[in-house]
Each structure stands twice: as C-alpha cells, then as structure tokens.
Amino acid sequence: MVEVSPTAVSSTELSPEEELQMITAISMATEPQTKVGDTFCLITRRWWQNWLDFVTHNKTFSANEGSSSEHQDLGSSSTPKRPSSIDNSDLIYEAASENPTMGIELHDTLVEHTDYILVPEVTWNQLCAWYGGGPKLARKVISSGQSQTELSVEVYPLRLRLHLMPKGDQCAIRISKKETIGDLHKKACEIFLLNLEQVSIWDYYSHRKHALMNDLDKSLDDANIQMDQDILVEVIDNGGGCTSDAQENGFAKNESSALVEPSKTNYSIAGGFSASKGVPKNCNSELSQFQNLSSAIRESEDKTPVSVGVSTRGSSGGLTGLLNFGNTCFMNSAIQCLVHTPEFARYFREDYHQEINWHNPLGMVGELALAFGEVLRKLWAPGRTPFAPRQFKAKLARFAPQFSGYNQHDSQELLAFLLDGLHEDLNRVKHKPYIKSRDADGRPDEEVADEYWANHIARNDSIIVDVCQGQYKSTLVCPVCEKISVTFDPFMYLSLPLQSTTTRTMTVTVFSCDGSALPATCTVIVPKQGRCKDLIQALSSACALKHNEKVFLVEIRNHLIHRFLEDPLMSLFSIKDDDHLSAYKIPKSMKNTKFLQLIHRREELETGNARGTTGWKAYGTPLVFPVSCDATITRGDIQLIVHTMLSPMLRTEPGDSDISDADTSSVASGLTSVKKASIVADSTCKENDDSKTPSLKLPLKLVDGNNACIDLSVGEERTVRLPSSSMSVLLFIDWSPKLLKKYDTHYLEKLPEVFKYGPTKKTRTEPLSLYTCLEAFLREEPLVPEDMWYCPQCKERRQASKKLDLWRLPEVLVIHLKRFSYSRSMKHKLETFVNFPIHDFDLTNYIANKNNSGRQVYELYALTNHFGSMGSGHYTAHIKLIDENRWYNFDDSHISPVNEDDVKSNAAYVLFYRRVKAEENGPGCCAGGNSSSLHK
C-alpha cells in the first residue's frame, strides 16, 4: 500500500468540502495498491454517516434532473453539525479486556455497511487526528477465495480455546486463519510457558483427540480450523510418551477415508442460535460460560444411541440425523434429500474415487465430492447417532464463501451449488473439447436436439448428469423482424412460479391535464407476462379516454417523476407491486414535446433544528402538462397552464375561498391565449374572445434552460427559455396556508401502490396445482430488459419473446417452488399451498418430443420444507424410505415418522421426483434398479 502520511492541519481549519477532498484523495492513493498484510480499521457506521452528512451537505440538491446546487432555495434542510469524536464503543463487546491474548472483542454479529465500514489505516489516522476518539480496531488484509487471489479484511480472526493437558489450564486466543500450525504451536508455548519440544497440539473436537497437528507449515485455514475450535496442548514427558489422559478418537484407526471430523464450532440450541456469544475477561474464566452447555452436549453425544423419535430395527441405515451447529438447517435438509436419492446412495457407497476429476479448473479438486461422500457414508452407516457435518461445512465455506459463517441461507441455492460442484468434481471428461453450436436452420427438432445433447455430453459426463439433468427446448422470437431462434439447453432443476392465474392487478392514478376532471384511481387487470402497452391499453379503456387523447405513464418516487414508461415493449415485470404509478391524459396529436412537471411543496418543520424553523418540502403527486418545443412561451402562459391543471381542485363553497368570480372567469377566458400560442397542439380548453390573464398570481418557480430558478409571479410577458437537454421541465409551486384554503389538494397526497399486500377475503377456491405452476413456467413471455437477446438478423439487442418446452426428462426431477419474491422495500414469501402429486405425476403431455414413446410418470420420494419468514425461518425434510414404505420427518438431529397425507403443506419448497419404472422405458430407466435395497 502506498504510504500516505496524515496531514497536521486541524479539521477546524478546513471546510467540510476540503475534508471530503482530502479523505477521497487518501483513499484513491491507498486502496488500489492494497495487498496482503495491509491494515484496515473499523469505524462505526453511525459516526461515519454523521461525517458523510456533514461533509456532503452543500453538495446535496433535493430536486430532480435539471437542478443545480446554485439554487438552494428550491428545497432547504438543516445544516448537519460537525461530528463529535469517533466512538466505536457500539462495536465492542468488552471495551477493556483483561486477557492480553484476546484484546478488544467485537460483537459477534456485526455486518459491514450496516454496523461498520472499513477504511485504510491511513484514513483512520487522518480522521483520528482531526476528531480524536477510538478505540482503534485494526484488521489485516488476507487472501481468500478458491484461487487465493481475492483480498478480504479478516474482521473476525479465529477464536480458539486452548486446553493444556495434563495440568488442565485453559485459555482463549485470537489468531489469523492465515497463520500456520507452527505459529499456533509457538503462541501456545508462550502462553503456557513451555518449550516447543515439550508440546504437541491436537484437533480436539468434542474433547476427543482427532488429528495430530504436526504439519507446521500448513495454514490454519488449510487445516480447516474453524471459529471457537478446541485445541489440545499436550505436554510430552522426557521419555517421549505423553502424560495426557485425554480421550482418544473413537473412530476406527484403520478407516480408509482420509477425511476426519473437524473442529467444534459454536454449540447450538433451539434452531441454531449461538450459545457462545461474548468473550470473558481472562483466560481462566474464558470457558466458564461454555462448560455447562458443552458438558451437557457431550453427555448427549456420547450416549449411544441418541433418541431420534423412532425405534431402531435391525441394522438398516438412513435414519441418522444431522446436528444443527448454527443456522445449518438449510444445509441439513438439502443434504438429507441428496443422500436419500438411491442413485447417489449407491454411487457414493461404492468406490467412486476413480471418477474424481482432480484437475478440473471448474471443480474443487475432488474435495467437495470426498466430503459429501463421507457424510453420505456416515448417514447410511448402522446406528442412529446424529453428527455435525463440520468437515463438509468447512469445504463448502472454502469453495462457496457465500455459505460461510452461521447465517441462514436458501437451501435451494445451496442445492444448486452442490449439484453443479459435485458434477465438476466427478466429471469423467478430463479435457473438454471446444464445440461450436450450429443453428437449427430449419432442420428437424429431433436432429438438432440430439446434436445439442451429444455436444453437452462430450463436455459434461458425470453421475449428476446421468441422474439429474434433462433438456428443454428454448424458442426466441424477435418482436421486430420475427426471426426465430431454437436452442436445446440442459437443466438440473425446474424453478416454477407460484401463480394460480395468468393475470395481474395493477392500480394507477389518472390525471387530466386540461382541468376537465379530478384525479381518479383506476384498477385494471393485465397479463402477468404482459408489456407496458397492455397496461396503457387497459387504462385507456378504464378511464374513458377520448378519441383525441392518449395516456402518458410515469413512475413516481419521492414526490417526483422517477422514470417515463414510454417503451410499449417494456415488460411489466420491471414494475414492482410497491411502485407508485401515475397516468396523464394528453392530446394524441402532439409531437416534439416537453413536459412541465409541476412539483408541489409546502412548509414543514426541519428535523433536528432546535430553532423550530421551517423549509419547503416536496409532497403529493406532480402534475404534468405537455408543451411544444417549437412554441414561444411566456411566464403568463405558464401561470394559465397551472391554473388550468389546478382548476378541478378549486374550492367553490362560500367562505372557503378568497378567489373572486372575476378571477375564476378570467382563468377560463385566458385559456384562449394559451391555445393561440401553440403551447398545445390539440387543446380541449374553452375559448373566449375576451382573453385576459387571471389576477391571482401563483407562487411558481421554474428551472429554465440556463439552470436558473426564475420567479414566474412577476414579468408575465417575459419569454421563458426551456431546457433543451431534458424531457422534463421542473416547475415548483409553494403552497402557503392561505393558498391551501383556496384549493383542496388532498387529491394529490395519497398515491396508492401498484398492488397492496394485505388481508384478503377468504374464498373457496381450488388449491394451486403443480401442473398449473408447470404450465406457467412453460408459457411464452418477454425477456426482462436486463437480459435482452441479440437478434442476428436485426444486428441489435431485442426484448424477444421466449418459450420453453420440456424435451428430455431426467431420472430424478428436482422442482423448486419459487416462494420468495423481492422488491426494493421488502422481501415477500408466498405461503401458497401447492397441491403436488405424491404418486403418478404424469408429464407425458408436457413433452414436446413426440417421438419419445412411453409415459413419463414420476413419484415423489423427498422434499424440503421452509417454515417461517425469510431470513429467520427453519428448514426440514420429508423423505420416504421405500424399503419400509414409510415417510419420515428429518428435522436436523430429530427424526420421526410422518403420515403420507401430512407430507403436503404450504411449507413445501423443493420437490424430488423419481421416474417410475415401466417396461417400455427399457433397462436403466428405473432409478435404483435391482442392485439397491434402499428403495424400490
């Protein structure tokens, strides 16, 4: 990292802008040169945000496009105060630890950008020189990722618990996972005042000696040492033997697998909440908070067998649970479903090592396959003792960092990674040939499909492909030239939408530009896979549009127009349920137009201002009026236009308004001058020969072509120069309390969402069928704008229509029910009950390949369930042992029988189906065959 010294200039001598410039310059000089070993510091997010507000206040401008920081009168806010000294105390579990081996401890659940931000050490030094405070929380940069070329800051170094035997002393330490076993060895000797030759250190999982850690050059990361692991520090006597009576590993020493049970991490209770939060004050008391819990866990783990809710019959396997060691239920449920897939159970219990692809750059050098195989063998071994798949979790975290730590994750995302990772580790193709796909060019689908499949198998050939991969036909049609492109692509699973209908309800507020009507809310029904033109057409019919009018659609955000929805081919998927839409009736014949965007503001108390001063804040929904780019427009013309738009909201009751009849009539008669000025090309305004300007001047301000804010209440004959670079012209009206008495603006204040989630009236309807979900998945729909297709005929990217068809089905069909949806302001889980068949899931009529003889019938044998809300729910699995013809509920370590009728619920998430054996399918089509007694 480039050395940059902090300046000695006091912060009080600098302006906020100068502070920002200096910190930015330091960051630009240091961060691009970051390397392993550099130091970053944590700063509490709360203080950092206060500082950002302070130094960027004068650069902030509240208006939309076309605004300028030179015109702060458009929207003022209170000036942020200079932050006090840096206070990182909210990040610290214990501000002053008495244990020198631990130092200052952070809370265990901090999240970057939410609780803290990371800055280079030189940036911290500069901020600390200006503001003071602390404490300094320094962390080192380490290499990470599969290739060890990615850089990351190690915010949480490993926390290890050292056990000295035979003396019995205990101590907790912090050490980087990039330190070596030799470094750990030295540190242990320093703490316990021992010589290096006196000591051996062991992996001490569950207080049993599992592996001697004697490769001193291996990093702790490579040795799969995990957070809160127990390490045995064993003193060796002079005769070369050990004086420790620590319990030896209970596993057979002649076991062929090289994989061993790794470190013990956070003990878990009741669904995976960590019971090891916090750090005590000294070494001797470090483990005091864990001893009662860990002792109880060890006692339960040492009992054989552990009760899992079922009686053991004979020596058949498959009823072993997995311990939850910190929100790992998502992993446990997915593992159990894969382990109970008969083809995988048979494959991984045999000698599969010869198929491991040790040199596949897309794989994990066989480590994932070996770890999964070890878990599978343990789960199918006789006995019922649950175990924690820590070795597998460690491998998973290394090759898929998104699953590291102990947060809840999506079991379907894990499943997708596992299937793909196992495939690459077990790919029989050692050197993948380059094969260029040919276009169909009118050839028969059967010929093209077989060619694509042969090309796929030439590069991808594994047990995963044999069992789980199918093929679908993808048809793209260009909306402009109607070019048709057909490809045949492999799939590992099907993600089906949960939609019982093909339509969607959308709510839009419609405004009239000519003052002919009050705003009205329209709720319309449009195709769920529709385009913007479908919504515009539905609105045009619903709001009684005149023959010479059209609808202009926009999205409103923060009381301003966020975007113009002009593209008729835009997919309605880009409009979320929590968006706010407005539509404006404008003349159909208008061309080369701009739009006056009338933004409403009113006085509000400024937050955080002790003086109680007020400022102008935007509120309500902006109004829109089209003007010709070629017209000459004056300030008086704009006054008339605004009077016209606001006229439906004019209060007419006696005593409610101070506007005279002369003012009202003058507004109507003055519209003639607007039309004569050709501001609108097809005005529907009333005409009157007596043209005069209304005497009531509205407090209007406009951002003109010079980016200046001009007052329209004076100089009505002066011409206004409109901005040439923007489609929208910003026009502000400041609603004083007196003016609000003249107009009823509540019509503008509550803009409904496109669709509001809430309690719905329960009706007796048929449950959603899995077949209906499949039909929705196969239905033609437009591509999303972010994934447009390059048309080879148009030579441009087009939002093509896409149609999927099933062509070739796998032996095991995995179906993912898309229960989770996302929008800008919320994450939503669909609790929809899907009626999925357990037996006779017949897909024969859904196969596009009509030369495929025989019925395509499947039977359910496993599924994962998700209970609760997103991020805080719980996963389980229902699995059928067919040799017992019985379903079981796998809930982490607890396994219990379940009735087949209870397998169906609204928690079903990922379904696992196996093809039913039929004579016409030929040999090999029945997954399982005669060689396995696990399933029929």
Side-chain angles (χ1 to χ4, degrees):
M1 180 181 291
V2 176
E3 292 293 333
V4 180
S5 300
T7 178
V9 178
S10 170
S11 176
T12 57
E13 300 175 14
L14 301 175
S15 68
E17 291 81 1
E18 290 171 333
E19 280 191 36
L20 178 62
Q21 291 171 3
M22 187 172 294
I23 293 299
T24 302
I26 292 174
S27 298
M28 292 178 64
T30 55
E31 292 190 14
Q33 305 297 325
T34 299
K35 61 183 183 300
V36 171
D38 286 344
T39 301
F40 277 66
C41 296
L42 284 76
I43 297 181
T44 174
R45 177 72 165 77
R46 172 179 46 79
W47 187 91
W48 178 258
Q49 188 59 54
N50 289 340
W51 181 78
L52 283 181
D53 292 342
F54 172 65
V55 298
T56 62
H57 173 69
N58 290 336
K59 299 174 71 66
T60 303
F61 182 58
S62 62
N64 199 1
E65 56 177 320
S67 59
S68 171
S69 60
E70 299 174 3
H71 308 289
Q72 291 298 315
D73 62 320
L74 297 181
S76 59
S77 60
S78 59
T79 302
K81 296 180 180 178
R82 184 176 187 273
S84 57
S85 60
I86 303 171
D87 181 8
N88 280 336
S89 60
D90 56 344
L91 304 180
I92 299 171
Y93 176 77
E94 219 170 38
S97 173
E98 297 177 9
N99 181 2
T101 65
M102 295 294 291
I104 298 176
E105 279 293 290
L106 303 179
H107 287 292
D108 283 349
T109 56
L110 300 179
V111 178
E112 187 179 3
H113 304 304
T114 300
D115 301 305
Y116 68 89
I117 58 99
L118 289 166
V119 298
E121 185 177 33
V122 65
T123 302
W124 162 268
N125 292 339
Q126 183 64 75
L127 291 172
C128 202
W130 287 340
Y131 292 93
K136 183 176 182 179
L137 304 173
R139 293 296 187 266
K140 295 292 185 181
V141 174
I142 62 173
S143 59
S144 61
Q146 182 175 348
S147 61
Q148 296 295 303
T149 58
E150 301 174 11
L151 298 181
S152 63
V153 178
E154 190 177 28
V155 175
Y156 290 102
L158 292 175
R159 180 172 54 204
L160 304 180
R161 295 188 286 262
L162 305 183
H163 301 257
L164 179 63
M165 292 296 179
K167 190 175 180 180
D169 290 350
Q170 300 172 0
C171 186
I173 66 169
R174 285 282 189 182
I175 186 171
S176 171
K177 64 182 179 180
K178 292 302 180 181
E179 299 283 347
T180 64
I181 292 176
D183 295 326
L184 175 61
H185 196 170
K186 292 177 183 178
K187 184 164 288 193
C189 291
E190 291 171 358
I191 291 172
F192 294 120
L193 303 177
L194 298 169
N195 295 325
L196 292 174
E197 59 272 12
Q198 286 182 281
V199 171
S200 295
I201 56 177
W202 292 77
D203 176 344
Y204 200 40
Y205 161 64
S206 195
H207 288 207
R208 296 182 181 182
K209 293 164 67 175
H210 277 264
L212 178 64
M213 300 171 64
N214 56 1
D215 187 351
L216 300 184
D217 294 328
K218 178 181 284 188
S219 72
L220 300 178
D221 189 20
D222 291 337
N224 289 316
I225 304 301
Q226 300 293 314
M227 186 70 72
D228 291 330
Q229 175 156 341
D230 292 304
I231 301 294
L232 175 64
V233 181
E234 186 176 54
V235 179
I236 305 171
D237 62 21
N238 294 332
C242 68
T243 61
S244 170
D245 57 356
Q247 188 172 5
E248 292 286 348
N249 184 359
F251 292 100
K253 294 183 179 180
N254 59 354
E255 191 170 356
S256 60
S257 174
L259 297 176
V260 296
E261 191 71 13
S263 61
K264 188 75 173 177
T265 56
N266 293 352
Y267 296 113
S268 60
I269 55 175
F273 293 98
S274 173
S276 60
K277 301 294 182 187
V279 181
K281 294 183 179 181
N282 55 63
C283 290
N284 291 331
S285 64
E286 161 60 19
L287 291 173
S288 60
Q289 63 175 316
F290 302 103
Q291 286 175 345
N292 292 337
L293 178 63
S294 60
S295 175
I297 292 178
R298 287 198 303 275
E299 289 176 7
S300 68
E301 290 181 348
D302 290 342
K303 293 177 182 178
T304 305
V306 173
S307 173
V308 292
V310 297
S311 60
T312 57
R313 296 197 290 118
S315 60
S316 62
L319 289 176
T320 299
L322 292 170
L323 293 173
N324 187 324
F325 51 100
N327 284 325
T328 56
C329 57
F330 78 96
M331 179 180 72
N332 294 347
S333 60
I335 288 176
Q336 291 285 13
C337 289
L338 289 180
V339 161
H340 287 84
T341 298
E343 293 79 3
F344 296 156
R346 183 169 59 253
Y347 178 86
F348 284 98
R349 293 170 75 190
E350 296 172 352
D351 184 12
Y352 61 92
H353 293 74
Q354 61 184 358
E355 291 201 339
I356 292 179
N357 193 329
W358 305 102
H359 304 291
N360 186 355
L362 299 179
M364 279 134 267
V365 293
E367 292 189 35
L368 185 65
L370 288 170
F372 178 79
E374 185 71 11
V375 170
L376 184 143
R377 292 186 181 207
K378 288 181 179 180
L379 289 175
W380 278 106
R384 297 290 185 270
T385 305
F387 68 93
R390 300 181 187 278
Q391 179 82 7
F392 181 81
K393 179 71 164 59
K395 298 293 184 185
L396 186 67
R398 172 172 301 179
F399 295 112
Q402 66 268 32
F403 298 116
S404 61
Y406 297 94
N407 294 325
Q408 183 67 279
H409 295 281
D410 189 331
S411 68
Q412 186 272 332
E413 292 179 1
L414 171 68
L415 181 68
F417 171 80
L418 285 181
L419 290 174
D420 187 63
L422 289 173
H423 158 67
E424 295 295 353
D425 265 4
L426 299 169
N427 196 348
R428 303 176 186 113
V429 180
K430 308 306 180 185
H431 303 285
K432 294 187 177 183
Y434 171 74
I435 303 174
K436 185 175 181 180
S437 299
R438 296 169 54 202
D439 195 75
D441 287 332
R443 291 182 293 160
D445 283 348
E446 293 76 14
E447 177 186 338
V448 180
D450 289 344
E451 179 183 288
Y452 269 81
W453 187 253
N455 293 344
H456 176 65
I457 296 299
R459 295 172 53 86
N460 302 277
D461 184 15
S462 70
I463 182 64
I464 306 299
V465 175
D466 297 342
V467 175
C468 293
Q469 284 200 350
Q471 186 184 33
Y472 57 73
K473 174 185 176 182
S474 175
T475 305
L476 292 171
V477 180
C478 178
V480 178
C481 70
E482 298 185 348
K483 162 72 176 176
I484 299 176
S485 174
V486 177
T487 58
F488 292 84
D489 303 309
F491 67 85
M492 195 89 75
Y493 54 88
L494 301 178
S495 289
L496 305 188
L498 300 190
Q499 51 186 33
S500 57
T501 66
T502 61
T503 59
R504 174 186 182 187
T505 299
M506 303 184 74
T507 299
V508 181
T509 303
V510 180
F511 296 83
S512 297
C513 298
D514 61 0
S516 60
L518 286 166
T521 298
C522 286
T523 299
V524 296
I525 297 176
V526 295
K528 191 178 287 281
Q529 289 84 26
R531 301 176 187 261
C532 196
K533 63 180 182 180
D534 299 313
L535 176 58
I536 292 175
Q537 182 177 351
L539 286 173
S540 301
S541 300
C543 68
L545 206 64
K546 300 176 183 177
H547 73 280
N548 59 345
E549 292 179 324
K550 64 180 180 180
V551 168
F552 182 65
L553 195 63
V554 302
E555 179 188 345
I556 304 297
R557 197 180 298 180
N558 297 325
H559 312 294
L560 301 170
I561 293 179
H562 175 65
R563 58 172 173 162
F564 299 100
L565 305 178
E566 294 182 288
D567 183 3
L569 298 179
M570 185 190 78
S571 171
L572 292 181
F573 281 123
S574 65
I575 301 176
K576 308 302 181 185
D577 284 340
D578 56 347
D579 286 343
H580 299 266
L581 301 186
S582 291
Y584 303 92
K585 298 179 182 179
I586 65 174
K588 186 182 293 186
S589 59
M590 291 198 66
K591 296 179 180 180
N592 191 24
T593 58
K594 291 183 179 294
F595 294 91
L596 293 178
Q597 181 184 169
L598 181 64
I599 301 169
H600 310 276
R601 300 192 303 185
R602 61 185 172 191
E603 284 188 303
E604 294 182 5
L605 282 174
E606 295 182 345
T607 57
N609 194 318
R611 300 178 182 177
T613 58
T614 60
W616 291 104
K617 304 291 184 182
Y619 82 103
T621 307
L623 298 178
V624 165
F625 196 92
V627 296
S628 172
C629 295
D630 302 324
T632 300
I633 186 170
T634 66
R635 298 182 183 185
D637 293 333
I638 297 177
Q639 284 279 347
L640 282 171
I641 290 172
V642 176
H643 274 291
T644 303
M645 291 191 289
L646 298 179
S647 60
M649 293 178 287
L650 194 64
R651 298 183 190 271
T652 57
E653 293 81 358
D656 286 347
S657 175
D658 296 331
I659 299 179
S660 64
D661 292 338
D663 289 335
T664 305
S665 62
S666 66
V667 170
S669 62
L671 296 177
T672 305
S673 64
V674 177
K675 182 176 181 182
K676 290 181 179 179
S678 301
I679 296 172
V680 295
D682 185 14
S683 175
T684 56
C685 303
K686 302 175 183 178
E687 294 189 29
N688 193 303
D689 293 334
D690 182 18
S691 173
K692 56 182 178 178
T693 305
S695 59
L696 177 65
K697 300 298 183 183
L698 295 172
L700 302 177
K701 295 179 181 179
L702 181 140
V703 180
D704 68 0
N706 297 320
N707 225 15
C709 185
I710 60 175
D711 187 353
L712 302 184
S713 61
V714 294
E716 63 184 42
E717 299 300 330
R718 296 179 63 179
T719 302
V720 176
R721 178 176 173 269
L722 300 179
S724 58
S725 60
S726 175
M727 182 178 179
S728 175
V729 180
L730 298 182
L731 177 63
F732 297 89
I733 180 170
D734 294 334
W735 290 96
S736 64
K738 181 179 180 181
L739 189 60
L740 286 172
K741 292 180 181 180
K742 307 178 194 302
Y743 290 90
D744 186 0
T745 64
H746 83 274
Y747 299 102
L748 307 173
E749 294 186 31
K750 292 184 179 180
L751 190 66
E753 296 178 352
V754 169
F755 182 79
K756 180 71 173 178
Y757 284 103
T760 55
K761 184 178 179 180
K762 294 185 177 179
T763 58
R764 297 177 62 87
T765 58
E766 290 295 323
L768 178 61
S769 165
L770 185 61
Y771 290 106
T772 304
C773 297
L774 178 61
E775 290 164 3
F777 173 75
L778 299 176
R779 188 176 296 114
E780 182 178 357
E781 62 182 25
L783 296 174
V784 296
E786 298 79 20
D787 191 27
M788 295 209 296
W789 170 63
Y790 181 79
C791 176
Q793 192 161 293
C794 295
K795 306 297 183 183
E796 290 186 28
R797 303 194 73 83
R798 301 293 190 191
Q799 192 175 9
S801 297
K802 184 175 183 179
K803 173 73 170 71
L804 294 178
D805 292 290
L806 298 179
W807 189 267
R808 188 189 310 263
L809 293 179
E811 297 301 316
V812 170
L813 179 62
V814 181
I815 295 180
H816 163 225
L817 302 178
K818 297 173 69 173
R819 292 199 174 276
F820 301 125
S821 62
Y822 305 86
S823 66
R824 277 185 295 273
S825 61
M826 67 176 179
K827 298 178 181 178
H828 183 65
K829 180 190 174 186
L830 297 174
E831 300 285 355
T832 308
F833 174 78
V834 179
N835 185 18
F836 52 89
I838 296 177
H839 307 282
D840 298 327
F841 182 34
D842 193 348
L843 297 176
T844 306
N845 294 332
Y846 294 91
I847 304 299
N849 183 7
K850 300 308 177 184
N851 291 343
N852 192 344
S853 60
R855 297 176 63 214
Q856 303 288 321
V857 181
Y858 286 79
E859 181 169 307
L860 187 75
Y861 72 92
L863 70 153
T864 64
N865 302 295
H866 181 270
F867 300 92
S869 60
M870 294 184 66
S872 60
H874 181 61
Y875 287 95
T876 66
H878 288 330
I879 297 171
K880 183 177 184 179
L881 295 185
I882 301 182
D883 61 330
E884 297 184 10
N885 194 29
R886 196 172 194 180
W887 283 88
Y888 290 91
N889 178 43
F890 286 70
D891 187 354
D892 289 330
S893 59
H894 184 80
I895 302 174
S896 58
V898 62
N899 294 327
E900 184 174 275
D901 293 339
D902 296 329
V903 168
K904 294 183 180 182
S905 75
N906 63 351
Y909 186 42
V910 182
L911 311 175
F912 292 76
Y913 283 94
R914 294 182 61 227
R915 194 197 303 272
V916 174
K917 183 178 180 180
E919 292 182 0
E920 61 269 21
N921 290 119
C925 290
C926 175
N930 297 323
S931 61
S932 172
S933 62
L934 302 176
H935 298 272
K936 292 181 181 177

